[in-house]
Amino acid sequence: MVENVIWPAYLDSTCSRADGRRVPEDLAVDEPTVDEIAKAVQQIGYDAIVERDKSYSRAPWDERGRVVVRGAEDSTKNDLVQAVAAYVVAMRE
């Protein structure tokens, strides 16, 4: 079973690409939460597991958590992150 990890920094508009943002600025949001990301993952149709006590390696002082995505064998990680970002943007509108 394929597991992908999505860190909030991937979608954070306050992060630069060097800091870990993986989506264009028009798909990024201000300080996304793991709950928003998990909800977006479930909307896409995959299983999401929230791990709140984890910290991204580029910001080890900041425990924002992460979302583990299971069952995404039919999608690349980049496509998955882009789709999740689009859903998070739509949820905030």
Side-chain angles (χ1 to χ4, degrees):
M1 177 175 281
V2 174
E3 287 186 348
N4 287 302
V5 175
I6 299 179
W7 297 94
Y10 290 179
L11 313 176
D12 197 340
S13 64
T14 62
C15 291
S16 66
R17 290 279 187 164
D19 291 334
R21 182 172 46 84
R22 289 192 173 201
V23 297
E25 284 189 15
D26 62 327
L27 285 179
V29 295
D30 188 38
E31 297 188 11
T33 65
V34 289
D35 294 322
E36 288 176 314
I37 295 169
K39 189 173 180 180
V41 167
Q42 290 168 347
Q43 289 288 327
I44 295 170
Y46 300 122
D47 294 328
I49 299 167
V50 175
E51 296 179 344
R52 297 183 190 283
D53 61 339
K54 302 293 183 182
S55 46
Y56 188 46
S57 60
R58 295 185 190 185
W61 60 89
D62 189 14
E63 280 192 9
R64 293 172 63 184
R66 69 181 184 182
V67 177
V68 178
V69 181
R70 290 194 176 157
E73 290 90 3
D74 60 342
S75 177
T76 65
K77 183 164 185 175
N78 187 48
D79 290 343
L80 177 65
V81 171
Q82 299 281 333
V84 168
Y87 269 95
V88 171
V89 168
M91 285 189 306
R92 287 204 175 177
E93 289 179 347

